[in-house]
Amino acid sequence: MSAEERAHIVALDKRRVWHPYTPMSQYRDETDPLVVVRADGARLHDADGRVYLDANASWWVAALGHGHSRLVAALKRQADVLCHTALAGITHAPAAELAEALACVAPAGLAHVFFSDDGSTAVEVAMKLALQYWAQNGRPARKRFLALEGAFHGETLGVTALGGVEVFRRPFAGVLLDCIHVPAPGDASAYEQAFGALERAVREGADDIAAVVLEPVVQGAAGMRIYDAAYLRDARALCDAHDVFLVCDEVFTGYGRTGPMWASQHAGIAPDLLCTAKGFCGGMLPMAATLATPRIFDGFLGDPDRAFYYGHSFCGNPLGAAVAREVLRVFDDEKVLEQVARKAPRIARAFAGMAALPGVARTRSLGMIGALDLAGPEGYLAGAGQRVAAEARRRGAYLRPLGNVVYVSPPLTISEPDLDELLGIVQESVRAAAQ
Ligand SMILES: *Cc1c(COP(=O)(O)O)cnc(C)c1O
């Protein structure tokens, strides 16, 4: 793309496009955006011919890298035959075969699959299923949810109530559903106190809590906060004891991001409802699923007025379903989880080493996630991470820090040389930004 063409695109963008999570006056006046023209593997190519390693798999979705040839081929094959049809009372092979394959790799007992569009709707579906289940199965007072401080479950108005990132909640204070927030487990030393708070809240609220909703083991948007799997295991037991549903939001953590296929596996548990998106469709199309146990599914059988009258235009979209089905085949054929097991120690070593850098307060890692907190102001609006991102961009990596938290969450299939290069760039950029 020529310099004039690039300038034209940026001018159109700045005139018309309202960017997500972006202060638009600063963007308009100060930002020279990356103009991505194509992507392959772990690399983004800019309009000016520069190449960037994609440190966050483009918002955590491109689990198999960009432009994977088998996913592109599956998409083309499906597009030639059937791009879309409704899913209310009619069906098609891509949705049926995907649901079967997904149930086979899901944690035990999650036998039924409800399709939707993205991570937010997958969690919204889980909330509505829980509410309606209790309403028509003998516990109509159960209308509240319990979530963690710092939680992120997406952006619809329903799931915003579960969220605990203050910046995302603040504008909607007063109109959100009733949700109890308890302290996040944090590191091992805070575990007992945090679990005690959860236990009290569930015990006291058992009559009116519909479900406990958790990001298993890693709170992504909170700043890649990792907690002990024992908390998740004990939360499962607690929910069982009070017969409250446990929802695991695996939108970020699923599909090998933390090591195993599902982060719930670190605790050896299965939730009553599991939400998946992002890696689920290999980062190619907006597509999500909520998986449910037979108990919940059966709670909607019988009289038609017990049915779940809910759906989206693109539920089970054949293009997305064909790609998502191929994603699972690629996970098998390319032994993606074994690749993760090989690469995770490189991320762990590199981030442990970065703890000694000037300006770094602490580091952590799990699976294909490595993160560090820069010293100084914390929170989503803290600016320190942006200086590191600017240094990284100069060095050929695209980072998107969460406030003062600098992290990598690259495609699981990133080659080992690319991964080492990325980790080296992060290290140099943190050092340069501290000067
Ligand atoms: C990204 C994310 C969501 C929302 O997914 P969208 O596809 O952006 O709507 C929900 N939960 C978690 C844990 C996420 O990381």
Side-chain angles (χ1 to χ4, degrees), residues 21 59-61 117-123 151-156 159 214-216 218-221 249-253 275 277-278 286-288:
Y21 302 107
W59 265 353
W60 317 348
V61 301
D117 302 348
D118 53 45
S120 304
T121 54
V123 182
F152 181 76
H153 297 290
E155 299 294 13
T156 59
V159 302
L214 299 174
E215 291 161 90
V218 185
Q219 293 185 281
D249 175 355
E250 294 257 18
V251 168
F252 170 54
T253 54
C275 310
K278 292 189 173 144
M287 175 96 184

